[in-house]
């Protein structure tokens, strides 16, 4: 699985991820990049590789902007549903899509998307993580919170903790800064 972590500070988004994946319990290090541009948004996907592939294949459907979070999430839901991704159990109200995501915007926003594509904005200077190692990533952030650690190092520590401690987060850790998409 993938670890995704992001932190917005002063209109800049620092984000990190691992480049490996697992097949069952077997680590398969590689050069995976779990992020895709959907219009002005950068979407990180942890979970269904099929959903990620479909969003990558249909990214032109987001080219018109989808500036609002509402419009973007509705379009994601539509693209995944049309492709047969998503299921609803008889006792559930909402569809589940098998993905847990982070949405980043160049204006300095981080949003969390859960399995039902419910979204919530992550406050500034709050690191958030998704993926099987997210508890370890958030634990590393909590441990660093009382120190004067810069945003990129906080993200790096979160990603590296997930890789070191979670069986399903393998490969190398990467940290980047969100830049305006051209």
């Amino acid at each position: 699985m993938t670890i995704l972590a992001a932190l917005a500070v002063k209109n800049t988004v620092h984000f990190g991820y691992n480049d490996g994946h697992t097949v069952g319990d077997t680590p398969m290090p590689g050069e995976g990049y779990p992020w895709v541009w959907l219009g002005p948004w950068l979407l990180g996907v942890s979970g269904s590789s099929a959903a990620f592939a479909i969003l990558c294949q249909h990214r032109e459907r987001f080219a018109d902007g989808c500036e609002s979070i509402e419009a973007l999430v509705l379009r994601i839901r539509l693209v995944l549903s049309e492709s047969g991704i998503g299921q609803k159990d008889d006792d559930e109200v909402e569809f589940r899509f098998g993905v847990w995501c982070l949405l980043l915007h160049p204006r300095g926003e981080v949003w969390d998307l859960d399995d039902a594509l419910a979204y919530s904005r992550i406050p500034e200077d709050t690191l958030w993580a998704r993926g099987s190692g997210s508890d370890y990533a958030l634990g590393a952030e909590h441990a660093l919170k009382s120190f004067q650690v810069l945003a990129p190092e906080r993200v790096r520590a979160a990603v590296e903790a997930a890789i070191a401690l979670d069986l399903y987060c393998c490969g190398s850790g990467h940290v980047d800064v969100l830049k305006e998409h051209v």
Side-chain angles (χ1 to χ4, degrees):
M1 196 139 172
T2 303
I3 184 65
L4 307 170
L7 172 65
V9 178
K10 297 181 183 172
N11 296 320
T12 301
V13 178
H14 302 271
F15 66 100
Y17 61 97
N18 67 314
D19 62 7
H21 62 280
T22 55
V23 176
D25 289 344
T26 306
M28 306 293 288
E31 295 185 20
Y33 186 73
W35 302 90
V36 60
W37 283 103
L38 300 179
W41 298 86
L42 185 60
L43 175 72
V45 177
S46 179
S48 170
S49 58
F52 180 71
I54 287 166
L55 291 169
C56 288
Q57 290 172 354
H58 292 278
R59 62 180 162 249
E60 77 282 348
R61 292 181 62 182
F62 299 86
D64 66 350
C66 291
E67 277 298 324
S68 75
I69 187 75
E70 296 84 4
L72 177 69
V73 172
L74 284 174
R75 183 104 24 111
I76 291 170
R77 182 180 297 275
L78 178 65
V79 167
L80 293 178
S81 296
E82 287 175 353
S83 300
I85 301 288
Q87 64 182 18
K88 185 172 107 171
D89 293 334
D90 292 336
D91 61 338
E92 293 198 22
V93 177
E94 296 180 340
F95 275 86
R96 301 287 176 189
F97 293 92
V99 294
W100 295 265
C101 307
L102 291 181
L103 270 170
L104 315 178
H105 198 282
R107 63 182 167 239
E109 296 177 12
V110 175
W111 293 78
D112 176 68
L113 266 148
D114 72 7
D115 183 36
L117 300 183
Y119 52 89
S120 45
R121 186 161 183 187
I122 306 305
E124 183 173 348
D125 200 30
T126 301
L127 184 132
W128 195 244
R130 277 295 185 177
S132 62
S134 62
D135 290 342
Y136 299 114
L138 295 174
E141 166 66 1
H142 180 73
L144 290 175
K145 200 138 182 112
S146 62
F147 299 97
Q148 297 291 327
V149 179
L150 297 175
E153 286 76 24
R154 289 166 61 191
V155 173
R156 182 170 309 286
V159 170
E160 288 177 358
I163 292 169
L165 300 169
D166 186 81
L167 171 68
Y168 302 104
C169 292
C170 58
S172 299
H174 301 273
V175 176
D176 207 347
V177 176
L178 183 65
K179 296 178 176 85
E180 188 73 42
H181 182 58
V182 189

